[in-house]
Amino acid sequence: MTAKPKVWVARPLFPDVLARLAEHVEVDAEAVERRHTADELRRKLAGVDAAVVGLADRIDEAVLEGHTRLKVVANLGVGFNNLDLDALTRHGILASNTPDVLTESVADFAWALMLAAARRVGASERWLRAGQWPGSHMRFDDWLGLDVHGRTLGILGMGRIGQGIARRAAGFDMNVLYHNRSRLPEMVERECKATLVDKAELLRRSDFLVLVLPFTPENRHAIGAPELARMKPSAVLVNVARGGIVDDAALAAALREGRLGAAGLDVFEGEPQVHPELLMLDNVVLCPHIASASEETRRAMANLAVDNVLAALGFGEMAGKPPTALNPAVLTHRAAHKA
Ligand code: DGY
């Protein structure tokens, strides 16, 4: 009898999802959430056929070197800037991510941040919880925020999530502008009621600017001091993409000095650390990277990662056809090698 393949699951996952894996493979699942060092990753990956990893697990040449057994790395996230795809491909290891299943939840959350930042939900709630309402003689013109309806929404990065955010804007009677590497098909533009503009115009005209672009070396500090200087002083910036796309120090300075109205941030440079100046400001809503964290969506992401692992190891209905492979050419090479 041949031994079952072994799979390492780097984050605690829903037991029923792990049970799907355990029907076919030997599962080594982390029971406690923790950050793995490069050494730990190297050791763990050396002894398994597949791994399900999180966004904090950096999988690069250094941790892959010398591995011959590893066949699949399934990322729990649509963004995969934690994976060195070239290195994985060089080693003949399939990589996958979790697109589509989180699109609508992340789009919902971008709106949660837009509304919360514009209408001062975080700051006013902190004030109330601190017991300051009774006896405060709250004035008619206290806690004034920015209306969302009827404003101009700018979206930087118009993939599936950006389109989801744009579609929701119809209910708020907003004017939607976007900037993207390539223009959307006309039909999609019509559905989203969105108009393509260049980045400078997007910065200049947006009352709300939502960032949904992938984190690549070119996109590092896509919003830094020069870009912030081009935005309206009343504008609200929302980042549900990745830390590092925004220069957090420059953002904190703009918010502190009233050069930007407010911000809603789900991601940070160097998270889980947050720039200390952002923590001091009341005109920013800060969340711990939870845009995809609804019950249904996190389950769907976990299931999709497991689908990819099982399919890549040759199990189940999708055997040999992982549904969301990032480097599917690896499978063709493997097949050619076997023949
Ligand atoms: C992703 O999937 O890339 C998100 O950031 C996870 O919440």
Side-chain angles (χ1 to χ4, degrees), residues 12-317:
L13 281 192
F14 307 99
D16 52 311
V17 180
L18 290 177
R20 287 188 54 220
L21 268 180
E23 274 178 36
H24 303 280
V25 302
E26 192 187 328
V27 182
D28 169 16
E30 294 296 325
V32 176
E33 192 70 53
R34 54 186 289 271
R35 295 214 145 214
H36 306 103
T37 63
D39 253 3
E40 286 170 329
L41 287 172
R42 194 178 309 116
R43 263 185 279 118
K44 280 292 188 183
L45 296 179
V48 295
D49 300 273
V52 177
V53 301
L55 303 178
D57 300 315
R58 169 96 195 127
I59 311 297
D60 57 13
E61 186 60 45
V63 305
L64 294 175
E65 210 189 335
H67 293 182
T68 50
R69 183 171 172 182
L70 189 64
K71 297 176 194 67
V72 201
V73 170
N75 206 36
L76 287 162
V78 62
F80 53 90
N81 53 299
N82 57 315
L83 305 183
D84 180 339
L85 208 51
D86 289 341
L88 283 154
T89 305
R90 257 194 324 274
H91 284 264
I93 298 166
L94 188 94
S96 66
N97 66 339
T98 61
D100 301 324
V101 291
L102 47 65
T103 300
E104 301 302 330
S105 298
V106 176
D108 283 351
F109 200 77
W111 274 88
L113 288 179
M114 277 170 61
L115 289 160
R119 298 301 308 275
R120 308 178 67 184
V121 173
S124 61
E125 200 211 8
R126 281 191 292 280
W127 181 81
L128 179 151
R129 282 181 187 270
Q132 299 204 52
W133 193 3
S136 67
H137 306 293
M138 194 173 104
R139 289 166 49 105
F140 193 56
D141 60 356
D142 274 343
W143 296 111
L144 302 183
L146 185 73
D147 271 334
V148 178
H149 64 270
R151 303 271 180 188
T152 294
L153 168 63
I155 302 174
L156 187 56
M158 198 62 159
R160 288 163 285 215
I161 298 171
Q163 292 166 34
I165 294 168
R167 284 198 311 274
R168 284 160 174 75
F172 284 77
D173 197 20
M174 293 179 93
N175 174 32
V176 183
L177 307 176
Y178 76 96
H179 181 68
N180 200 39
R181 265 176 314 186
S182 50
R183 185 170 184 169
L184 296 179
E186 239 175 78
M187 207 182 74
V188 181
E189 274 189 351
R190 258 202 310 278
E191 266 169 29
C192 295
K193 295 192 173 60
T195 305
L196 179 71
V197 294
D198 64 26
K199 188 175 168 188
E201 185 172 349
L202 190 80
L203 294 170
R204 185 166 47 78
R205 288 180 58 194
S206 296
D207 295 304
F208 292 83
L209 179 62
V210 184
L211 310 179
V212 216
L213 60 177
F215 187 48
T216 57
E218 307 81 65
N219 287 341
R220 183 170 180 276
H221 289 185
I223 301 294
E227 289 76 18
L228 291 164
R230 289 175 162 186
M231 293 176 68
K232 297 182 186 181
S234 57
V236 176
L237 179 72
V238 169
N239 189 3
V240 286
R242 277 290 177 276
I245 292 175
V246 176
D247 177 342
D248 285 350
L251 174 62
L255 288 167
R256 191 184 58 240
E257 292 161 17
R259 290 183 279 112
L260 193 74
L265 307 174
D266 187 45
V267 288
F268 305 88
E269 274 188 297
E271 65 187 50
Q273 302 308 321
V274 175
H275 195 289
E277 284 194 30
L278 287 173
L279 294 169
M280 309 293 291
L281 295 168
D282 249 356
N283 54 349
V284 56
V285 177
L286 307 167
C287 289
H289 203 147
I290 56 167
S292 65
S294 73
E295 166 86 26
E296 297 90 328
T297 293
R298 284 285 164 98
R299 278 185 171 279
M301 290 166 73
N303 271 309
L304 184 51
V306 164
D307 289 345
N308 277 291
V309 167
L310 291 178
L313 294 178
F315 297 108
E317 283 170 22

